[in-house]
Amino acid sequence: MAESNNQSAETKLSDVHKRIKAAFETFDNAANNTVDVREIGTIIYSLGCFPSQADLHDFIAEVEEDHSGYIHLDRFLPAMTKVLLEHKFPPIPKDLLLQAFEVLDKDNKGYLEPEELTKYMTQEGEPFTQEEMEEMLTGLADHERNVIYYKDVINQLAIDPDM
Amino acid sequence: MGCGVTKSDQFHKHSGKAIRAAVLIQRWYRQYVARTEMRRRYTWHIFQSIEYSGEQAQIKLYNFLGYLMDNFTPSSNERNLISHIFRENDICRDAEWERYFCYKKIEVPEIYSGPHLTFPLTVEQAVGLVEAFRNKKQLHSRYALQLLLETWKLLRMLPNINRISTCHSKEITICGDLHGQLEDLLLIFYKNGMPSLEKPYVFNGDFVDRGKDSIEILLILFAFLLVYPSDVYLNRGNHEDHIVNLRYGFTKEVLTKYKMHGKRILKLLQKIFSWLPLATVIDQKVLVLHGGISDSTDLNLLARLDRHNYISALRPPKKRNQSSASTSMDSDLDEDVWGANRIFQRRASLTFPKPLGARDCFHNRSLQDFSDRIKVNVETELEIRRRRRSAFNAVMKEPETETPTLSFDSVYSDNAKEEWKQILDLLWSDPMAQEGCVPNEVRGGGCYWGPDITEDFLNKHNLQLIIRSHECKQDGYEFCHNRKVLTLFSASNYYDVGSNRGAYVKLGPDLVPYVVQYQASSMIRELTVRQSVGRTERSALKVLREQLFAHKSDLICAFKKFDSENTGVVSLNDWASAVESVMHLDLPWRMLRCQLVTRKTSEGMIDYYDWFNELAIIGPNSDNIDQSLLETLYRHRSTLETIFRIVDTDNSGFITMEDFRQTWKLLSVYLKMEITDEAISDLAVTIDSNQDGSIDIDEFMEAFRLTDKKSRLERGRSMFMGTATDLTKLEGDPNI
């Protein structure tokens, strides 16, 4: 299919649709174009978006089928397309992320103690559950010193864009 | 969602900033976790797709060989090459069998350091056996044969369906697939205790294949069965089947470990497998079986049939002379049925192959052709395909490509066909989320059955729960169908280190399943989810790259279709479509793209020739071997190996040059490929390096392994070598 300029908007749209469908289908266990509402966050995140919990709740409210616990592709597709085309939940730039960590690292140590991080993550913002916190600590903490070298972590966990 | 509530004055000064910072970090980390979950899911899909397509390929191969059997002259060389795997019920009297399996003349040398068994077996000996295997000892063939003989005798007295109860407040422990993973069995015994009068066990099939200690697991299970016949129950799995074993490693394992007597051991095991009970019912309420059910499953019928007629679940029993069920060891006094019934068959040989129209037919014939219960017409077929689970067949499948079937012959009575279907469904079926019952085309046998089928079945038989295995689950177990069906899988780290936990279930008089999970190897427990996903993902991707590389010609063809102007590049969308059209694995290629193709042009297109260079896997020194032949060999190495083992009738590990040529001819017909005699000769000469007229199978297969020979995936894990496209035509490939 030749890519000409006037077709590029269409192609782009079709591209976006395919991406969304591919992600959706991974969680569509019954192959009936619906997914459990609890998986929506994962799907949206995997499409490269960074919504907050509040953003997610708003989005779900828009697309859920009357609190059935399920979301149908028919409603998800247009809503998600809009999100992607408008770059609604853009990724967090590395330097911004670094600044955020530095704010929490009040003593400018270059690392965070697990207790410090835990306090913030479980008490501020949109708090983590205990499970989330444990996973984060196990994943991010340096094994020997048991502290979080956030600069390294940010680099290690850099997301490579899907497209 | 929530607002953070600051709990201490310390935060007050920077509270606004800190809160915003925290929110940012939380968003970022949650995104990361979600992506990890996504990766885990598609990694799973990769392994599962490849595993199931391997099973499908095995059935296709068996089917194909059956077709050949039907069409060869009785005396042709080709037929002799493969006929012995179909000669399941040899003519033999009891006395002859006794002689054949006799262990008495086998001497145990002084230097043997393994366990010595005396019969009747005692519990101390059984426990000693476990210890010996834990210490990597091997049981001498004399004792192995003796143990197996005793097991055979016992099994023949058991009914098709075991009926047990949790009386005396006994808790029954139920285990799922073990697949030769001794470590897991040892872990279960460690956590739960060994089988005893107070500790009854049910083992739900698939004890063998894939793992490297299948025979040890069998010997342990049989030893405890002999010691505690009222407290150890074994159900047959789809891998307790010599045809499946040819491909999935058990046959090879036995022949390697027991060089002198392996063949006899395997033959005896064939009989033992056929005598394994089909199911177990606990307290008349809980049904335990390996695969599952279908809408026609009938426990009464299953209880009545002669289960030992089904040596392999993949082939219906031959029609027998109507002799009444005798009490001899082997009641089938068949003549070689092939001879008599073949009078009416067309004759052909590989040298003068028949036009292959007929074979297309057998591919499209489905199990339901001879079962009156399920009629699958075209509309239903399309409907079925649309409702297929996302992990499996693609929505728009070409009808002629993927309908693995089991061929049948009109000599089989309706009764036999009905019984056969019952057993097949029992051993091969999988549950699905949608209602109804459809053929399990992914695996090639059995059905997919829905929650309504479960409901009806349970009501009809007055049961409350079905416990089955057959499918690997990440947590080792999974409930479905409103918690009326429990899948139990006991082989941890099945796909790769860290891929999944294993589980067993304890059932007390209240019949409420209590699940215990575990994972072999302590190293795994310390890995985070992220790390273990990363490992498994890397393995999966490696396997996938192999598969892609093995289909290079087909893929290039497919790419060219999207690249009419021959620019050498395609768009991401087109790349994904082309790949799926060739591989038929129904994977999220777009998502996998960035892991599989690291280089992109500046306009976001993919240079496919470049990509193959990237994928290039180092092969053997192959200057004088035709490249396309090499690719074929690589892609079909599992099928090739299976055929070799079939051809190697004396299980020596060597086949003659002549047999080698015949094997190639077989493969070329199977693949609908042209391989010239010259090409085969060149190949043979290269392989037979010492020019002695025989070829070492293992050496030959080694030549085509990847450079990373120590990879866990390579050791006895031939499941990853089967592909869904064993029958892909090589369309107009210029290299051939």
Side-chain angles (χ1 to χ4, degrees), chain B residues 184-424:
Chain B
D184 286 300
L185 184 60
L186 295 178
L187 191 49
I188 294 172
F189 284 168
Y190 177 73
K191 286 174 80 82
N192 195 51
M194 298 204 204
S196 69
L197 295 172
E198 291 78 42
K199 198 147 279 185
Y201 270 82
V202 178
F203 292 94
N204 203 11
D206 277 11
F207 318 122
V208 302
D209 275 334
R210 299 196 173 119
K212 60 182 181 54
D213 297 312
S214 299
I215 188 69
E216 279 74 30
I217 289 195
L218 279 185
L219 294 170
I220 290 176
L221 296 183
F222 293 156
F224 279 106
L225 175 68
L226 289 171
V227 176
Y228 294 116
S230 313
D231 296 285
V232 173
Y233 296 92
L234 306 178
N235 291 338
R236 188 178 187 181
N238 64 309
H239 277 261
E240 275 70 57
D241 183 328
H242 71 289
I243 300 298
V244 178
N245 297 151
L246 276 168
R247 189 182 197 100
Y248 288 101
F250 181 50
T251 306
K252 183 175 176 177
E253 179 190 325
V254 172
L255 296 175
T256 309
K257 288 180 177 171
Y258 291 98
K259 292 192 160 55
M260 271 193 68
H261 302 283
K263 192 174 166 200
R264 270 195 278 173
I265 290 176
L266 285 172
K267 191 73 192 173
L268 186 45
L269 280 169
Q270 263 187 43
K271 298 189 171 306
I272 287 177
F273 286 166
S274 75
W275 275 107
L276 283 171
L278 299 171
T280 299
V281 178
I282 303 176
D283 286 353
Q284 303 177 61
K285 285 286 171 202
V286 177
L287 175 63
V288 187
L289 37 66
H290 178 73
I293 59 173
S294 72
D295 57 353
S296 57
T297 298
D298 179 351
L299 287 183
N300 295 321
L301 206 161
L302 282 164
R304 287 197 309 264
L305 52 79
D306 288 328
R307 68 182 190 270
H308 70 285
N309 286 336
Y310 300 87
I311 302 268
S312 163
L314 299 186
R315 193 152 187 92
K318 298 195 265 284
K319 195 174 188 189
R320 293 166 27 228
N321 301 327
Q322 284 311 309
S323 50
S324 51
S326 75
T327 52
S328 72
M329 268 165 41
D330 227 279
S331 61
D332 340 61
L333 296 166
D334 325 335
E335 315 299 306
D336 187 357
V337 183
W338 298 102
N341 291 326
R342 285 307 161 271
I343 301 169
F344 311 105
Q345 298 294 324
R346 292 152 292 166
R347 289 159 186 257
S349 76
L350 276 176
T351 339
F352 301 100
K354 296 226 50 137
L356 291 173
R359 195 164 100 239
D360 289 338
C361 291
F362 93 78
H363 275 307
N364 286 329
R365 277 197 238 149
S366 100
L367 206 56
Q368 324 319 324
D369 276 342
F370 59 84
S371 163
D372 292 323
R373 302 303 171 98
I374 296 177
K375 293 229 182 322
V376 181
N377 55 29
V378 176
E379 289 79 43
T380 324
E381 279 270 32
L382 292 174
E383 171 63 24
I384 286 165
R385 290 191 179 122
R386 273 196 289 111
R387 287 155 70 208
R388 187 77 67 219
R389 278 186 292 177
S390 59
F392 302 127
N393 292 338
V395 171
M396 303 299 173
K397 189 84 68 178
E398 295 304 306
E400 68 270 10
T401 335
E402 305 295 325
T403 314
T405 67
L406 285 152
S407 71
F408 75 103
D409 200 279
S410 52
V411 293
Y412 302 113
S413 66
D414 284 332
N415 228 18
K417 291 179 206 164
E418 175 60 43
E419 287 183 359
W420 179 39
K421 181 179 191 301
Q422 292 281 332
I423 294 187
L424 207 54

Side-chain angles (χ1 to χ4, degrees), chain A residues 84-151:
Chain A
L84 285 181
L85 291 178
E86 293 174 10
H87 303 289
K88 250 183 158 185
F89 309 125
I92 302 167
K94 260 198 207 177
D95 47 353
L96 201 58
L97 196 54
L98 186 59
Q99 274 178 47
F101 273 105
E102 282 168 352
V103 163
L104 302 189
D105 180 15
K106 293 191 307 316
D107 305 325
N108 252 336
K109 303 187 295 297
Y111 60 82
L112 283 173
E113 303 274 351
E115 301 79 40
E116 281 181 276
L117 188 59
T118 304
K119 240 194 315 216
Y120 284 112
M121 295 292 100
T122 58
Q123 291 172 16
E124 305 284 5
E126 295 175 329
F128 277 2
T129 61
Q130 195 186 358
E131 215 187 306
E132 280 178 300
M133 196 62 235
E134 275 170 23
E135 166 64 31
M136 186 184 204
L137 288 177
T138 328
L140 302 190
D142 175 279
H143 281 302
E144 286 163 39
R145 313 277 295 280
N146 200 31
V147 293
I148 295 109
Y149 290 102
Y150 46 85
K151 250 194 218 139

Side-chain angles (χ1 to χ4, degrees), chain B residues 42-286:
Chain B
Y42 65 63
T43 303
W44 195 259
H45 282 182
I46 294 174
F47 279 122
Q48 209 164 39
S49 293
I50 295 178
E51 172 181 0
Y52 293 162
S53 71
E55 284 186 342
Q56 195 193 89
Q58 180 62 355
I59 288 182
K60 279 186 193 166
L61 176 64
Y62 187 57
N63 212 11
F64 169 69
L65 295 174
Y67 166 81
L68 292 179
M69 288 297 298
D70 290 350
N71 289 285
F72 284 165
T73 60
S75 59
S76 74
N77 288 333
E78 299 89 348
R79 192 161 180 279
N80 287 336
L81 216 54
I82 57 176
S83 65
H84 67 282
I85 64 163
F86 294 94
R87 202 176 299 125
E88 292 158 354
N89 300 315
D90 301 357
I91 314 164
C92 242
R93 309 272 166 199
D94 292 9
E96 288 176 32
W97 281 128
E98 293 260 317
R99 240 179 288 134
Y100 183 69
F101 291 133
C102 189
Y103 56 87
K104 294 190 179 134
K105 296 219 181 93
I106 304 177
E107 289 203 6
V108 181
E110 291 256 342
I111 55 162
Y112 170 70
S113 61
H116 296 264
L117 300 182
T118 58
F119 290 80
L121 221 50
T122 61
V123 61
E124 289 80 21
Q125 293 192 75
V127 172
L129 200 58
V130 176
E131 274 316 297
F133 290 153
R134 187 200 304 275
N135 295 321
K136 313 271 191 262
K137 303 276 189 210
Q138 185 173 312
L139 185 65
H140 195 274
S141 48
R142 180 199 172 99
Y143 302 125
L145 273 169
Q146 203 173 356
L147 198 153
L148 292 176
L149 269 173
E150 293 300 312
T151 305
W152 184 26
K153 286 190 210 155
L154 193 156
L155 287 176
R156 274 165 25 223
M157 299 190 303
L158 297 180
N160 294 347
I161 301 180
N162 293 316
R163 288 185 183 275
I164 63 183
S165 82
T166 59
C167 62
H168 315 307
S169 304
K170 281 201 263 201
E171 262 187 334
I172 299 180
T173 307
I174 303 158
C175 297
D177 293 24
L178 287 167
H179 280 302
Q181 298 189 181
L182 184 60
E183 215 180 20
D184 286 300
L185 184 60
L186 295 178
L187 191 49
I188 294 172
F189 284 168
Y190 177 73
K191 286 174 80 82
N192 195 51
M194 298 204 204
S196 69
L197 295 172
E198 291 78 42
K199 198 147 279 185
Y201 270 82
V202 178
F203 292 94
N204 203 11
D206 277 11
F207 318 122
V208 302
D209 275 334
R210 299 196 173 119
K212 60 182 181 54
D213 297 312
S214 299
I215 188 69
E216 279 74 30
I217 289 195
L218 279 185
L219 294 170
I220 290 176
L221 296 183
F222 293 156
F224 279 106
L225 175 68
L226 289 171
V227 176
Y228 294 116
S230 313
D231 296 285
V232 173
Y233 296 92
L234 306 178
N235 291 338
R236 188 178 187 181
N238 64 309
H239 277 261
E240 275 70 57
D241 183 328
H242 71 289
I243 300 298
V244 178
N245 297 151
L246 276 168
R247 189 182 197 100
Y248 288 101
F250 181 50
T251 306
K252 183 175 176 177
E253 179 190 325
V254 172
L255 296 175
T256 309
K257 288 180 177 171
Y258 291 98
K259 292 192 160 55
M260 271 193 68
H261 302 283
K263 192 174 166 200
R264 270 195 278 173
I265 290 176
L266 285 172
K267 191 73 192 173
L268 186 45
L269 280 169
Q270 263 187 43
K271 298 189 171 306
I272 287 177
F273 286 166
S274 75
W275 275 107
L276 283 171
L278 299 171
T280 299
V281 178
I282 303 176
D283 286 353
Q284 303 177 61
K285 285 286 171 202
V286 177

